[in-house]
Amino acid sequence: MSTPSAEFALNPLDVLRERFAGAISRLYAGTPGEGQDPLIAASKNPKFGDYQCNAAMALGKLVGKPPREVAEALLKAVEIGDIAEPLTGANIAGPGFINITLRADALATLLSRLDTADLGLPAPAKRERVVVDLCGVNLAKQMHVGHLRSTVIGDTIARALSRAGAEVIRQNHVGDWGLPIAMVIAALIREHGTGDPAKYLHELDQLDRAYKRAQAECKGHDELVEAVRHCGSPKLAAEWEDELKQATAAEAKLADAKRTLMALQNREPTELAVWKRIYAVTMAECLRVAAELSADVRDEHSAGESSYAEELGPVVDELLRRGVAEESQGAVVVRVEGIAEPCLIRKSDGAFLYATTDVCAIRRRVQKLGAARVVYCVDARQSLHFRQVFGAAERAGYTALPGGEKATLMHAAFGTILGEDGRPFKTRTGENVRLTALLQEAEERALAAALSRNPDLEPAEQKKVAHAVAVAAIRYTDLSTERIKDYVFSFDRMLAFEGNTGPYLLYALVRVRSIFRKAAERGVDAVKESGAALRIGEPAEKALALALLRYPQTVRDVAQTCEPHRLCAYLYELAGAFAVFFDQCPVLAAKDEGTRAARLSLCRLTERVLADGLGVLGIPLVDRM
Ligand code: ARG
């Protein structure tokens, strides 16, 4: 049986692997040789052809036959005539290596299969449904660099999944419920009264400040203050008068916040109105920033913690009843095999937790939304949380799809963005760096860089180019390092037009596009010519063709592994192969019209693959820069 990826293989290596695997299963079905890896490799020495199949030796041992005999059988059984020169005994070398030489037209044949509307990524017969958990902002707080990664990585994984044929449901698990929000609501009502919050609450900055104030106000009774309070010594109490007063005030504020949370839970109109206003103000800003980053995070993707509020109590009760959860020192926990700390789903004071909501979210995503896979694009520091929650949901039976199959849950964890000092990225005053400020600075620098290269950039285009370059720089830096690793944020590095950067890739696209513009200027009908048959001869053409043919499998790999850096590395190689081709193979100045037309075809395919790949990375495209 062929795997879906093999069905559409275009890279000669994958095609050969697939065809030899087919031959092996036909020849050795029901023997220990069945399913053996065909061990295809690119030849190190062109004397031995382009590729080798090295499976005969291991197979010979397994099926008890001389390897050369196995090699003979393989080359008779394998069907590769469409892309390789016919195989004869002369292709067997040494103990049983099979040397394979591609047909001269093989690459053109394979490229024509890539050159379809879907670029080698046809919609699968059955589309897998995948939930991607991304963004995850919190109410009343400015979006900072921590949300950048979740938004950009999540958006890219979602795009790669869709491109590979999955049906993607994006979920923005907004932190919009619980005591911290209640603290802000309580503080706002204390400060502004119970009137219409739309009258005094206009922007996220106000909320950000209110959030910090509310947090500070509710803090204040540490252990020492408690000890002084309870020791009964008037002398100590006098010395600690201020602290004790503050603690009492903080307690009152905290009590107010708890009361507010109850009111919110009971949908009291005053508290609910403030909550709604906070929600609207935060989300307007959050969705605006996401759009600026070209991340597809919209209102309909929001499924905040509040949307699970009604489910928390019943779920905990159900899990207790079924014996999945148990009481532990007044709290309720679900023990998970292999993890020392159990998953806490109800505190001893009756409050529910972040984890309770996430257990409910898994139930909804798998059993209601029907997701066969759920991918969480969340900071690596939450890895214990997800192991606990995944384990608890599994024990609860919430990972079973309506049809009975099990959904796969994956924490697509990412590392921290560091400043140039190697510590978590902060402003000089130690504040979190805001995404809006970051984007603005990137655009200013991008414009300066673009203008220094191309002073003639038309004013009308400047804004568009600056934005595209800035987004390319920020997104590509974030996506091109292995997701789990930390990386250092550096404007200078990410905005460079040379090297492994977003602007460099964008520039590669602009270069291909400029060929078509120049063709038009010279009266060459590039559209017609670029429909000409592909013809691959020169080494640089061959290298470019081989790079192009790897595209579909690269996208499928990203969708499977949720590792966008694979696509970045691929596009960087493709851009490099194109640069060499561009340097060595004149296109418009080719020696004859046939060559020009064939090279224009190759350029057009390169343009399509680059544009498609940059699209998966969420990088806005431009024609010039
Ligand atoms: N709001 C959370 C935070 O800022 C992220 C939410 C991630 N998603 C989830 N299902 N827990 O840390």
Side-chain angles (χ1 to χ4, degrees), residues 167-179:
E167 184 188 339
V168 175
I169 304 175
R170 294 165 188 246
Q171 295 277 278
N172 186 359
H173 194 81
V174 182
D176 63 356
W177 206 242
L179 198 57

Side-chain angles (χ1 to χ4, degrees), residues 37 76 98 116 136 144 188 223 248 251 260 285 292 304 316 359 413 416 506 518 571 580 609:
D37 187 332
K76 282 200 190 104
I98 304 174
T116 52
H144 57 76
L188 287 171
E223 274 178 55
T248 310
E251 264 155 31
T260 304
E285 174 71 357
E292 282 270 302
V316 173
V359 169
T416 307
L506 212 44
K518 285 206 189 96
L571 291 172
V580 174
V609 170

Side-chain angles (χ1 to χ4, degrees), residues 133 136-138 147 173 175 305 354 358 365 376 378 382 385-386:
D133 184 302
V137 289
N138 300 312
H147 299 115
H173 194 81
E305 295 182 17
Y354 184 48
D358 261 323
R365 290 166 179 189
Y376 290 82
V378 185
Q382 296 195 23
H385 165 77
F386 284 112

